[in-house]
Amino acid sequence: MNDKICIRDLTVRNIIGVDAWERSKRQPIIINLIVYTSVSQAGDTDHLPYSIHYGILCKTVEAHSEKSEFRSVEALADSIARVVISKCHAPKITVRVDKPRALLHAASAGVEITRQKSDYTADELAGTVPCPLKFKHQDVIFVKDLRLSCIIGVNPWEREEEQVVVLNLQIYPGYDDSKDRKADYVSSTHNYRTIVRTITKYIEASSYKTVEAFVTSVARIAIEKCHVSKITVKMEKPSAIVFAGSAGVEITRDRAFFANAAANKTHTRGASSISSVGLNPHHLRDIPRRGPVPANLTHEAFLALGSNLGDSAANLTNALKMLEQGGNVRVVDTSFMYETPPMYVTDQPPFLNAACKIKTDLAPLDLLKKLKDIEAEMGRDFNTIRNGPRPIDLDILLYDSIEYKDDTLTIPHIAMQEREFVLRPLCDIAKDVEHPKLYRHISQLLSQLLLKEEENKIDNGSIHKSMPLRGKIYHWDAKTLIMGILNTTPDSFSDGGNYSTTESAVLRAQQLIEDGADIIDIGGMSTRPNSEEISEEEEINRVVPVIQLLRSRGFEAPISVDTFRASVADKAIEAGADLINDVSAGRRDPAMYSVMAKWNVPVCLMHMRGDSKTMMSQNNYGANNDVVGEIARDLHKSVERAIATGVHRWNIIVDPGVGFAKDSEQSLQVLRRLPELTHSESSKLAGYPCLVGPSRKAFIGQLTQQTDATKRTWGTAAACTASVAGGAGIVRVHDVKEIRDVIKVADAIWRVKA
């Protein structure tokens, strides 16, 4: 069947998805057909019955395409293929469907598929049963002539002026390793609108010198951010050469390519030297271990959580624990926690709201029943006023990408787009997920809602990102917290031996609180450069008795334990500590994440390389000395490991580790670029609360030429001011009384709203 009957640019009108302005309106659709057949008999005899009548073929396709609405070009193309095969007796056909009004900045978008009679059952061809959309390896979803403006090139004028580039994309859905799609549904993996939005956002904010780097970045974004399996990217610069139409590059990449590249890069660079510590099984035997997500939990859902009765933070945590009971649900991610004003019924306490991502094998109605059972068990009264106070509220927001509606459940959640207290936490874990009905990312829905409220002067009250700590809720957008340092060590670099007895340490803790500290950070082993490590038993003996004595005397302030050892953290929390401050971000002790998850307390993950003996020799951050970029990448890996082990996102604080595996200039660079770490959308740590500990560090001594660490208070004050200006939520210091006033003024300038 080497002969072809071709129909070119057949234009029909239909409602198929949405137009470039995301309206569900009738649009022009351009269809190209290639029917594979043999024309030998018709060619030899010139007899009409042996010919495929292209007039009938066009009318059949036109009538079929305009009589029904389709949600996707893929569904339309597959439907056309079945009709032509069944009604026009075509043995094989290629269908190309273009939507010229699909995207604002592209000529068109669409799909090209090839099908033959054997691809369908007789019932599917007859239309008597649903026909699932099954992609084949040769199928292509394409975006034609996407025009973007960006900085690209090496010439001085190209570095100053944006120029237009033209992209053509071909996505190969047949290489996807997920399940077959439903008849008229296309996931975000293949949704050209989602892919183009994501690529546009990253490319127009970037700057490239070579087209090779440009197209590689486009392919990487599509594969890593949009989860495409394979893509061809063609990029052209129309203004590149005066006497040529354009110049450009075309590449094809798949997941394996970037996975291999990442593996080779890791092998080439090598892992930083990290000394693991010996573990005492006696101390750690009761710590639960969290295995991988069971293979049977194939469905993905996003849930909203809320509470405003009782201990709301504990209610959210307990609900997540109950959710995982029975083995049908695994919580794989959680949002930050937000204190939000009540909506609809305003005469009630503020809520704590969060969102979580789960994997489950429960069907939507079964999942709903489980949520209602949890609510009932936790004391929710379903007969009280609607939207009134409640100890727990659990809602299904999204389930896979389905749409579902009956008398008890609507998916997606019917009111999620009008609720900031739902969208804001959902953005933490699903900002690039597309709403199945509204054709917008969750982040776009939030932006639209905030813009609408601003334009209409709607004031629904302030929403505060929050941290639960020792029964209280701390707002990260309020005052900068001061963490007072209490070293119970004989060899710390500035106060070693001052508080090495239990009584002296307790008195110092009380003095730090009187001076203005919000949190006391107790450490039993020095981590200064070249310090000697002690046994875990010795470290426990230095820390735990101090915590126990403080609590026995009615000390109510939050206590942090400064350790990288899981057993020390476990004993300290058991004794009454409230926060784990790990200078290794969980990398020194493989059991630390499990301890963090077990106790469900806030944790601080600090960036460092090596150990106290080796860290200052591991301050090579590449040719560009991109310290902040490397910190973000390294800490993000630790954050991901913590979350995978069951640590809730709202409990995670990050610390760039000033002075740890960083020389003086690198420490200064961290302070200068601190906003890039947690406040830049492009950072992997965007949104995470940040702790900075510059107190009495060596870089301050070098700048002030002060060798006595105890006399570096005012240099520390300047560094703390820079930390507040850069967005730090906590500063860790020795001289609390002096720094307290510094923070008050810095907060008034940069942080606390009048």
Side-chain angles (χ1 to χ4, degrees), residues 176-396:
D176 188 35
D177 53 14
S178 55
K179 296 183 299 181
D180 290 335
R181 305 299 172 187
K182 296 183 179 180
D184 196 0
Y185 161 73
V186 100
S187 75
S188 58
T189 306
H190 311 133
N191 191 317
Y192 53 78
R193 192 180 309 278
T194 302
I195 294 166
V196 166
R197 279 186 188 137
T198 306
I199 288 173
T200 300
K201 176 182 175 182
Y202 279 87
I203 293 303
E204 292 193 338
S206 301
S207 173
Y208 296 92
K209 293 180 180 178
T210 66
V211 290
E212 292 86 349
F214 183 102
V215 293
T216 301
S217 294
V218 171
R220 185 187 301 277
I221 291 164
I223 288 171
E224 294 183 355
K225 299 291 184 181
C226 303
H227 311 294
V228 166
S229 298
K230 182 180 178 183
I231 188 171
T232 294
V233 181
K234 181 180 180 181
M235 183 274 236
E236 296 174 285
K237 289 174 61 178
S239 57
I241 301 175
V242 175
F243 296 105
S246 67
V249 170
E250 178 178 315
I251 65 170
T252 299
R253 296 288 185 266
D254 57 18
R255 288 178 184 167
F257 178 88
F258 290 111
N260 292 336
N264 291 336
K265 184 177 180 181
T266 301
H267 176 72
T268 301
R269 291 172 58 186
S272 56
S273 174
I274 300 172
S275 300
S276 59
V277 294
L279 304 180
N280 188 327
H282 175 73
H283 290 319
L284 302 176
R285 63 188 177 189
D286 62 337
I287 298 174
R289 297 295 192 270
R290 190 176 178 88
V293 177
N296 62 300
L297 305 184
T298 57
H299 297 289
E300 181 177 279
F302 292 90
L303 310 180
L305 303 88
S307 172
N308 73 335
L309 286 181
D311 187 340
S312 293
N315 290 343
L316 299 188
T317 297
N318 290 334
L320 293 179
K321 289 180 180 178
M322 295 171 69
L323 196 59
E324 291 194 327
Q325 292 174 3
N328 297 111
V329 173
R330 170 69 68 87
V331 177
V332 295
D333 203 354
T334 48
S335 70
F336 296 112
M337 186 180 289
Y338 296 85
E339 186 176 89
T340 68
M343 192 174 181
Y344 308 119
V345 178
T346 58
D347 185 20
Q348 58 178 317
F351 279 81
L352 282 186
N353 288 104
C356 71
K357 175 182 175 181
I358 66 169
K359 301 290 285 186
T360 182
D361 62 358
L362 296 175
L365 289 177
D366 294 327
L367 178 59
L368 177 65
K369 182 181 184 303
K370 186 177 182 73
L371 300 185
K372 294 304 176 187
D373 289 344
I374 292 172
E375 290 177 339
E377 188 173 342
M378 293 185 67
R380 180 172 180 181
D381 183 357
F382 295 99
N383 297 316
T384 188
I385 183 173
R386 180 174 172 80
N387 297 316
R390 46 209 183 273
I392 193 66
D393 186 14
L394 303 171
D395 288 314
I396 302 174

Side-chain angles (χ1 to χ4, degrees), residues 575-641:
D578 311 286
L579 188 152
I580 299 171
N581 183 14
D582 183 351
V583 296
S584 77
R587 301 175 73 191
R588 289 289 305 274
D589 190 334
M592 180 60 94
Y593 297 131
S594 295
V595 171
M596 293 173 173
K598 169 190 172 181
W599 289 104
N600 256 306
V601 295
V603 302
C604 182
L605 305 177
M606 195 195 83
H607 179 267
M608 75 174 297
R609 292 175 171 179
D611 55 28
S612 59
K613 296 285 190 183
T614 63
M615 63 179 174
M616 298 314 294
S617 65
Q618 297 192 34
N619 61 354
N620 183 351
Y621 291 91
N624 297 323
N625 197 29
D626 183 15
V627 181
V628 172
E630 286 296 313
I631 289 171
R633 285 185 282 273
D634 290 347
L635 278 181
H636 181 249
K637 293 175 184 176
S638 296
V639 167
E640 285 189 318
R641 294 188 191 107

